Amino acid sequence: MSQEIAICWFRQDLRISDNPALLAAAEHDQLLPIYVLDDDSADEVAMGGASRWWLHHSLQSLNSDLIGTLQFFRGDASVILRELCQRHNVTHVYWNRCYEPWRIDRDREIKTELLEQGIHAESFNASLLQEPWAITKTDGSPYKVFTPYYRRFMVQSHAAPKATPRFMPSLLEDSHSCSLSDLELLPSINWAEGFKPHWQPGEKWAHKRWRSFLDERLNNYQQGRDFPAKQSVSGLSPHLHFGEISPRQLLQDLQYVGGSDTDNDNREHFIRELAWREFSYYLLYHWPDLPGKNLRPEFDYFPWQHDETLLRQWQRGMTGYPLVDAGMRELWQTGFMHNRVRMITASFLVKNLRQDWRSGAAWFWDCLLDADLASNSASWQWVAGCGTDAAPYFRIFNPVTQSEKFDPGGDYIRQYVPELAALPNRYLHRPWEAPDDLLAQAGITLGKDYPHPMIDLAESRAAALDAFAAIKTVEPTVAVNQAAQKVSAL
C-alpha cells in the first residue's frame, strides 16, 4: 500500500501550535516541512532588511522545534513545489493563507496546477480572526470606515485555536534544499546588533512575551499605551506578523481576563487594536493598490516636495524636534517604534515636510521588524489623509505639544537623544528656546551637538493646509500649480 506524503509549506505561520496546515499535514504517513524564500515573486515588496533579520532567527527557532528537518529553498515557489512533488511523489500540499496581492495571485495559480496534477492542495486561515471577505455591508460591498466594520467584527463568531499535533509523522528531507544561511537573510554589515537586547524571535518567546503582557501590562494598557517611556504595549507585532503566535490564541486568553470595569476596558481596547490589524488586511484585500496608490484620488495631485535632504534628515533622526528624532532613532536602533510616536513622525514627514507618504512607508518597510504590507500601507495612508478611513488632513500632530503631553518627564527623549539629557524638562522638548548659558552648562551647541529645527511648525502647517485646500477646490492641473506656488516660499 502506497504511503501518503504531505508537504507543509510554512510562510507567515512559523509556529507549531494553532497551525491548521501543519495539523492537516501531520495526519499523513510522511511529512515534508518546507520554507521558500520567494523574492522574485515578491518583486518590489520583498522583505526589508530588519524583517529578514527576524525571519532568520524565527526560522532557526522553528527548525529546532521540527528537530532540524525544516527544508529551506530559495526561488520561485511554484517551480520548487512542482519539483518537490515530482521527486517525492507528494500526494497532499497544505499551506496557510497570506493576503498580500502578489501572494493571492501566485497561490491561486499554484493550487490550480497542483489540483490538475491530481495532488490534493488546501489552504487555511491561520493569521486572522475573520477572512477579509467575511464582513460586508448589507449590499455586499466592503466597508471603508473602521467603526462600522468594527461593530460587525465584534458580533461575528471567531474560531477557536486549533490543536497542536499530538505526534509528528516521519519527517522527510530533500537533497536539493539549502541551509538557512544560504538564504542570506542576515546583513553582511552587522547593523542589526542592537536588536538582540530587545527581541527574541520564535514561538516560545512570543508566548513568553504575551504572558508577561497579560500579567504585568494589560492592566494599564488603555492609558499607558500612549506614553512611549512606559512599558505598556504588548510588543507582539513582529511575533504576530511572522505567525509565531496567532490572534485566535490571544483572543481566547483574553476571555479569561477581567472582572473589574478597568480590566474589561483594557481588554476591550486591546481587542480593538486586534480589529484594527484585521481592518488593515481587509483594506488590502479589497483595495490591492493600497501600498502605492492614494485611495482618495484627489491626493494624486498633491504637491509633494520630494526633497532628499529633508527625507534623509528625518530618517537619521536629525530634525531638531526631540520627540521625532527619538522615534526615528528608536526605529534604527531597535527595529521598532512606539505606536504614538509612529503617528507623530509620520505626520511630521507628510505634513510639515510635505514628503510623499510612500517615501516614509518605504523607510518603515526596510527598518521595522514588524513590517507588514497591510498595516504599514493602511497606517501611512491614514496619517497622510489619503486612505478610505483616514485622519482628516488638517489633523497635524504638533511634535512639541505631543512630547510635553506624552513624555512629560523626558525619559523617552533622554534614552534616544542622549545629547539633550542634561537639559531640564522645561527646555528638553524645545531646546531652541533654552538660554545660551543653560545650553552651555548642558554642554550643547545647537547646530553642532544637536540640530536647529529644520522647519518652522506654524509655517509648515499653514503651507500644508494651503496645499490641501488647493487640491480640493480647483481643477487638478490648476491645483498643482496653485499649491506649488503657495508652498514654494518655505
Side-chain angles (χ1 to χ4, degrees):
M1 183 176 180
S2 61
Q3 289 192 323
E4 291 185 340
I5 300 174
I7 287 177
C8 180
W9 177 19
F10 285 93
R11 292 122 69 81
Q12 289 173 200
D13 54 347
L14 306 182
R15 64 180 185 271
I16 301 298
S17 62
D18 189 27
N19 190 321
L22 178 61
L23 188 63
E27 293 296 316
H28 300 282
D29 301 305
Q30 292 183 295
L31 169 61
L32 176 58
I34 69 169
Y35 181 86
V36 182
L37 181 65
D38 190 351
D39 284 335
D40 293 338
S41 298
D43 199 13
E44 71 274 6
V45 291
M47 278 179 289
S51 294
R52 288 171 182 267
W53 178 90
W54 188 286
L55 176 61
H56 174 92
H57 293 286
S58 187
L59 288 172
Q60 191 174 56
S61 176
L62 178 62
N63 189 34
S64 176
D65 292 340
L66 291 169
I67 324 172
T69 60
L70 182 60
Q71 306 294 288
F72 302 105
F73 300 90
R74 186 173 188 171
D76 188 325
S78 60
V79 174
I80 290 168
L81 282 167
R82 185 186 311 127
E83 294 174 348
L84 283 170
C85 289
Q86 292 172 352
R87 281 199 296 273
H88 297 280
N89 295 318
V90 170
T91 57
H92 296 73
V93 179
Y94 300 101
W95 65 85
N96 294 312
R97 287 189 281 277
C98 295
Y99 301 91
E100 295 87 350
W102 69 271
R103 291 185 193 266
I104 291 175
D105 294 340
R106 183 201 60 184
D107 293 356
R108 184 182 296 115
E109 293 174 0
I110 289 174
K111 182 176 286 189
T112 299
E113 181 180 343
L114 291 173
L115 293 174
E116 288 175 348
Q117 295 172 2
I119 299 171
H120 180 91
E122 189 173 357
S123 62
F124 305 87
N125 172 20
S127 59
L128 296 176
L129 294 167
Q130 293 292 333
E131 295 284 21
W133 52 84
I135 298 178
T136 61
K137 300 178 186 177
T138 54
D139 63 1
S141 63
Y143 287 100
K144 294 183 178 181
V145 178
F146 174 70
T147 300
Y149 167 87
Y150 178 63
R151 294 194 194 105
R152 285 293 302 276
F153 174 87
M154 290 302 292
V155 299
Q156 299 284 105
S157 60
H158 306 295
K162 300 291 184 182
T164 302
R166 288 177 296 174
F167 64 91
M168 299 294 280
S170 174
L171 296 174
L172 294 178
E173 297 184 15
D174 182 86
S175 60
H176 292 75
S177 65
C178 64
S179 67
L180 176 57
S181 61
D182 289 334
L183 299 184
E184 299 178 314
L185 295 168
L186 296 178
S188 56
I189 300 174
N190 196 9
W191 47 261
E193 188 66 25
F195 297 170
K196 290 182 180 179
H198 303 278
W199 302 103
Q200 292 176 296
E203 181 177 9
K204 171 185 174 182
W205 300 105
H207 285 271
K208 183 176 181 180
R209 184 179 285 270
W210 172 235
R211 295 309 314 177
S212 173
F213 173 72
L214 287 178
D215 294 341
E216 302 170 13
R217 300 190 298 284
L218 177 62
N219 61 3
N220 189 41
Y221 178 73
Q222 185 174 9
Q223 299 298 324
R225 67 185 298 272
D226 280 326
F227 295 84
K230 295 183 178 180
Q231 299 299 313
S232 296
V233 297
S234 69
L236 285 173
S237 51
H239 296 289
L240 277 168
H241 172 72
F242 286 99
E244 297 168 353
I245 194 169
S246 80
R248 292 190 293 237
Q249 292 170 314
L250 305 186
L251 192 62
Q252 184 181 66
D253 288 347
L254 286 168
Q255 293 174 357
Y256 300 100
V257 175
S260 69
D261 290 341
T262 301
D263 289 340
N264 290 330
D265 288 345
N266 285 305
R267 178 184 62 187
E268 295 305 318
H269 202 81
F270 187 86
I271 293 174
R272 187 179 179 89
E273 294 305 312
L274 289 178
W276 179 258
R277 174 180 179 269
E278 301 264 329
F279 187 58
S280 297
Y281 277 87
Y282 183 86
L283 293 176
L284 181 63
Y285 177 79
H286 289 286
W287 287 274
D289 291 332
L290 181 72
K293 183 178 179 181
N294 299 308
L295 296 189
R296 292 180 60 187
E298 64 266 33
F299 274 85
D300 292 345
Y301 305 102
F302 191 90
W304 304 112
Q305 291 207 104
H306 302 292
D307 187 317
E308 288 296 324
T309 300
L310 296 180
L311 178 63
R312 183 60 177 161
Q313 285 180 259
W314 175 81
Q315 291 171 341
R316 294 174 57 213
M318 296 293 287
T319 69
Y321 288 96
L323 186 62
V324 173
D325 294 338
M328 299 309 296
R329 296 183 194 186
E330 180 190 21
L331 173 62
W332 182 255
Q333 293 172 28
T334 72
F336 185 80
M337 191 192 300
H338 187 276
N339 185 64
R340 172 157 289 276
V341 187
R342 292 190 197 199
M343 293 189 291
I344 295 165
T345 57
S347 174
F348 186 84
L349 181 74
V350 299
K351 296 178 179 177
N352 296 102
L353 300 183
R354 291 186 310 286
Q355 300 302 297
D356 194 318
W357 63 268
R358 283 159 286 219
S359 297
W363 184 250
F364 274 30
W365 180 256
D366 195 40
C367 296
L368 281 171
L369 291 167
D370 62 9
D372 181 281
L373 191 63
S375 296
N376 195 46
S377 304
S379 296
W380 274 95
Q381 291 229 35
W382 182 87
V383 171
C386 55
T388 59
D389 184 20
Y393 189 82
F394 55 78
R395 183 183 183 187
I396 301 176
F397 287 99
N398 183 309
V400 177
T401 57
Q402 289 283 309
S403 176
E404 291 170 334
K405 181 176 181 180
F406 294 111
D407 190 29
D411 296 334
Y412 180 73
I413 290 173
R414 288 188 172 92
Q415 180 176 358
Y416 292 106
V417 191
E419 61 266 42
L420 298 179
L423 282 179
N425 290 344
R426 179 181 176 184
Y427 296 109
L428 182 66
H429 309 281
R430 45 181 88 224
W432 57 90
E433 293 184 0
D436 291 340
D437 59 340
L438 188 60
L439 287 170
Q441 184 180 346
I444 301 169
T445 300
L446 291 180
K448 178 184 176 182
D449 303 300
Y450 185 72
H452 293 284
M454 61 190 298
I455 45 91
D456 180 272
L457 291 179
E459 291 178 1
S460 61
R461 183 181 191 277
L465 294 177
D466 283 346
F468 178 59
I471 67 170
K472 288 181 63 179
T473 59
V474 296
E475 290 298 320
T477 54
V478 179
V480 174
N481 295 331
Q482 290 189 356
Q485 292 172 5
K486 289 183 178 182
V487 302
S488 61
L490 295 178

